Amino acid sequence: MIADNLQRIINELPSEISLVAVSKYHTEAEILEAYSAGQRAFGESRPQDFARKAAALPPDIEWHFIGHLQTNKLKMVLPHASIVESVDSAHLLREIDKWGRAAGRTVNVLLEMHIAAEETKQGLHEEEILDILFNASSYPAVRICGLMGMATNTDDAETVRADFGRIRAHFDYLRDLFPEYTEFRQLSIGMSSDWRIALEFSPTEVRLGTAIFG
Ligand SMILES: *Cc1c(COP(=O)(O)O)cnc(C)c1O
């Protein structure tokens, strides 16, 4: 079933858009089922689960951390992360940079932009993102690869379109403003309930959990 779900999604997803399989509520056996079907990028949102699964599963899996990351959990997450998609504060970015410098590594990140109507959702505001990029040279051990966002959790497609439209517009604005920052080119939007709407905004990546794993 996981393999069938994956196949249907891949058939529908334009080939230039990457698929992150969000395995956060799922077992290692289920992840291996998707792996056997060819999936290599997986997303996890809890540091403990992330570290455990990354240590136990095949080394060619590309692990994306997509949840809220507390600075006291960096050591658990960063050694295994191919990218942290959920940087939601300048403080966290500074701490990731410190870790990277100490480890002699450059850490790939996306900045999580607050686009949903709900108060509870994490994320940076437009001007905070702008500020971080103006000061990008103060984070030498971090590679800021783009933006991630989660739309309002609603059945109303127009609300979701407005959210995705805002992040797409800010992404384009920043790319124009910082053409020298060539690594800034990823836009991660779209989850199981709204990825077809996200496709209208040309993301580079979608993150699907339920649609793959049920
Ligand atoms: C859980 C989660 C997803 C996937 O959600 P589904 O609705 O299961 O597709 C995507 N992105 C983030 C940041 C998540 O936390």
Side-chain angles (χ1 to χ4, degrees), residues 175 177-183:
R175 293 200 62 185
L177 197 59
F178 301 101
E180 72 284 3
Y181 209 123
T182 53
E183 298 103 339

Side-chain angles (χ1 to χ4, degrees), residues 103-198:
R105 291 246 327 257
T106 304
V107 183
N108 295 320
V109 304
L110 301 181
L111 303 177
E112 181 175 352
M113 180 169 153
H114 178 96
I115 52 173
E118 301 102 280
E119 288 295 325
T120 52
K121 291 257 168 94
Q122 315 275 349
L124 294 153
H125 292 276
E126 271 108 327
E127 56 287 1
E128 294 176 293
I129 292 172
L130 188 59
D131 200 52
I132 286 171
L133 286 173
F134 268 123
N135 294 298
S137 60
S138 46
Y139 308 103
V142 163
R143 185 179 295 116
I144 303 171
C145 300
L147 300 181
M148 184 272 263
M150 272 187 280
T152 308
N153 183 10
T154 172
D155 290 336
D156 178 36
E158 285 317 308
T159 301
V160 172
R161 276 195 185 94
D163 292 345
F164 287 151
R166 267 185 53 218
I167 192 170
R168 176 77 224 184
H170 201 48
F171 178 73
D172 290 340
Y173 168 75
L174 295 167
R175 293 200 62 185
D176 285 349
L177 197 59
F178 301 101
E180 72 284 3
Y181 209 123
T182 53
E183 298 103 339
F184 189 86
R185 59 178 168 234
Q186 294 185 38
L187 180 63
S188 174
I189 51 171
M191 303 172 33
S192 296
S193 59
D194 58 21
W195 66 280
R196 291 183 179 85
I197 300 176

Side-chain angles (χ1 to χ4, degrees), residues 22 24-25 45 66-67 148 150 190-193 207-211:
V22 177
K24 63 189 178 198
Y25 301 130
S45 61
I66 61 171
M148 184 272 263
M150 272 187 280
M191 303 172 33
S192 296
S193 59
R207 309 174 310 273
L208 308 184
T210 325

